[in-house]
Amino acid sequence: MAAAFEGKQVYSDDVQVGMDIPPVVKGPMTQAHIMRWSASQENWHRIHYDHPFALDHEKLPDVVINGSWKQQVMCQLIKDWVGLGGWLWKISFQHRAMNVPGDTLTAWGRVTDKYVQEGLGIIELEVGMRNQNDVEACPGKATAVLPIRGGRPVPYPFVPPQGERSTPGLR
Amino acid sequence: MTDKTYVTPQMKAAIGAESDAWESTMEATWSEHRRFIQAIMDEDPIYYDEEYAKRTRYGGIVCAPLFPSSVNRRPMGTPDPLTEGFRNNPEYDARGGGAEGGGQGGLPRLDLSHIPRMLNGGNEIEIFQYMKLGEKTITKTRIADIFQREGRAGRMVFIVSETEVRNDKGELLMISRGTAIRR
């Protein structure tokens, strides 16, 4: 089982601006999935499980999937792509749309820039999460760090490079 | 209202203010983390397979990137927010009924009554290290910036706060920067 994660390191050399990274798909989501996350967080906000409250009191279309859950999936998207030798450095996104039971959610990322800093490949991505109707819920950005073939390993704990970018847009 | 400045001298003076450091009420425990990763449906072996994780540069099982935000739970012996909330208001939405807030100690209390409406202006997270089981977090919040901008809906005030999370050895785990928009 573990072997599936090994020997698949992506290197900065393999990355091109404009390329899509492998998506992470979750769902179809149900009320039970939402409840499971809410319970793990001890988040008793009724919009996540109390149907009459969500509809009648809060005027929502249904109980809603937690923004905090979506945040975890967005992190998984980058973590899985950079692998054990890379690093998810920064991530930010907005909560633009609500998601509800029945949604299948696809976290996606596209490379918008890449450069080298202190011997590390810095990859900028546009990220988001779409439902089965292509409605974007979480538009945002991420910065990933990848090793360069034959270069130094990405440090762990991660130490952000301080120096100037080199070869912007290249490599 | 065109030339009005919404950033009061009190708000201006608060830029750079830092909260007291506060320790999480819980440490990262295996079963809490198990429930977390099962709920996010990410069964990465670095989260549970010690043999596998030992062979990685993490040197052993680590917690999911944002798990450090999940170790603040209501400590025993404190009032039950659900019972209190519903007693005071049958329509209580139970928001925040389980997590322990904390973290504002030492920060100035800003008077924002002139800009009562609040929007979430987004959040950026920077990650440096994964938490390990058994660790607690030490958190500090800083008011990084307060400024105003002209928006479509009129003048808006942006309050940027920076929360730094370390483990109990003092090692930096993550920094999150959140922006609250008030108007």
Side-chain angles (χ1 to χ4, degrees):
Chain A
M1 194 178 12
F5 289 80
E6 289 173 344
K8 286 190 172 173
Q9 184 58 48
V10 59
Y11 289 88
S12 177
D13 317 55
D14 308 325
V15 175
Q16 288 99 40
V17 172
M19 80 177 234
D20 292 319
I21 66 170
V24 167
V25 182
K26 306 275 179 183
M29 296 296 289
T30 66
Q31 286 200 13
H33 289 88
I34 299 172
M35 188 63 227
R36 180 168 62 179
W37 171 252
S38 292
S40 87
Q41 293 302 293
E42 295 177 53
N43 175 355
W44 314 122
H45 195 185
R46 293 162 72 189
I47 61 170
H48 300 304
Y49 58 88
D50 184 334
H51 207 251
F53 182 84
L55 270 71
D56 304 337
H57 194 270
E58 299 290 316
K59 310 294 178 212
L60 295 169
D62 202 329
V63 293
V64 295
I65 297 175
N66 312 54
S68 57
W69 180 87
K70 297 189 216 176
Q71 211 174 23
Q72 312 302 326
V73 178
M74 299 298 282
C75 287
Q76 183 190 347
L77 168 79
I78 307 295
K79 169 189 70 80
D80 285 358
W81 178 58
V82 300
L84 292 170
W87 190 246
L88 160 60
W89 177 11
K90 291 181 199 172
I91 187 156
S92 67
F93 55 87
Q94 301 176 333
H95 292 292
R96 187 72 66 77
M98 282 182 283
N99 293 106
V100 295
D103 278 0
T104 295
L105 297 167
T106 301
W108 61 273
R110 180 168 298 150
V111 176
T112 56
D113 194 11
K114 98 177 211 185
Y115 50 90
V116 176
Q117 218 174 349
E118 294 177 6
L120 301 173
I122 313 293
I123 317 292
E124 305 283 357
L125 302 107
E126 184 190 356
V127 294
M129 185 182 281
R130 294 194 187 105
N131 72 2
Q132 66 285 355
N133 300 320
D134 251 1
V135 176
E136 178 55 62
C138 301
K141 305 186 287 188
T143 306
V145 185
L146 292 175
I148 295 168
R149 273 204 182 79
R152 69 172 177 126
V154 176
Y156 182 81
F158 180 64
V159 180
Q162 308 287 332
E164 289 296 298
R165 297 174 169 200
S166 51
T167 56
L170 295 177
R171 271 202 81 121
Chain B
M1 96 165 205
T2 34
D3 284 330
K4 204 170 155 132
T5 178
Y6 284 174
V7 181
T8 62
Q10 189 221 13
M11 289 161 71
K12 200 150 226 165
I15 299 172
E18 232 176 49
S19 76
D20 304 328
W22 51 291
E23 192 184 63
S24 60
T25 55
M26 303 285 294
E27 68 285 353
T29 63
W30 160 241
S31 201
E32 290 274 342
H33 187 242
R34 172 191 58 79
R35 294 177 68 190
F36 183 104
I37 58 181
Q38 287 178 344
I40 63 172
M41 296 176 274
D42 178 14
E43 299 194 12
D44 188 327
I46 59 169
Y47 297 154
Y48 66 87
D49 183 337
E50 185 63 28
E51 280 306 298
Y52 173 89
K54 250 192 220 156
R55 302 199 305 270
T56 71
R57 63 197 178 129
Y58 307 128
I61 287 175
V62 287
C63 299
L66 305 185
F67 190 72
S69 308
S70 285
V71 289
N72 284 290
R73 297 288 183 244
R74 182 173 68 87
M76 297 311 295
T78 58
D80 172 8
L82 292 189
T83 304
E84 298 228 325
F86 283 107
R87 188 188 296 133
N88 297 332
N89 172 16
E91 304 287 290
Y92 177 50
D93 63 8
R95 188 184 205 145
E100 173 68 14
Q104 301 306 308
L107 277 183
R109 271 177 184 235
L110 297 179
D111 178 7
L112 303 173
S113 54
H114 61 302
I115 38 175
R117 279 174 294 177
M118 185 167 108
L119 283 164
N120 183 348
N123 197 304
E124 181 194 70
I125 299 163
E126 207 176 339
I127 303 167
F128 302 93
Q129 188 173 178
Y130 294 147
M131 192 174 194
K132 291 206 158 179
L133 296 177
E135 289 178 354
K136 284 186 154 190
T137 58
I138 309 285
T139 303
K140 234 200 272 190
T141 296
R142 197 172 75 88
I143 299 176
D145 204 0
I146 301 180
F147 58 93
Q148 73 180 41
R149 286 269 164 81
E150 210 66 49
R152 238 177 312 163
R155 193 148 295 179
M156 298 187 296
V157 177
F158 293 75
I159 302 175
V160 184
S161 59
E162 207 171 78
T163 299
E164 179 192 279
V165 184
R166 294 177 181 271
N167 64 17
D168 45 17
K169 297 184 206 86
E171 297 162 340
L172 185 59
L173 300 176
M174 57 192 254
I175 296 174
S176 90
R177 285 178 199 87
T179 305
I181 304 173
R182 312 275 312 209
R183 59 192 184 88

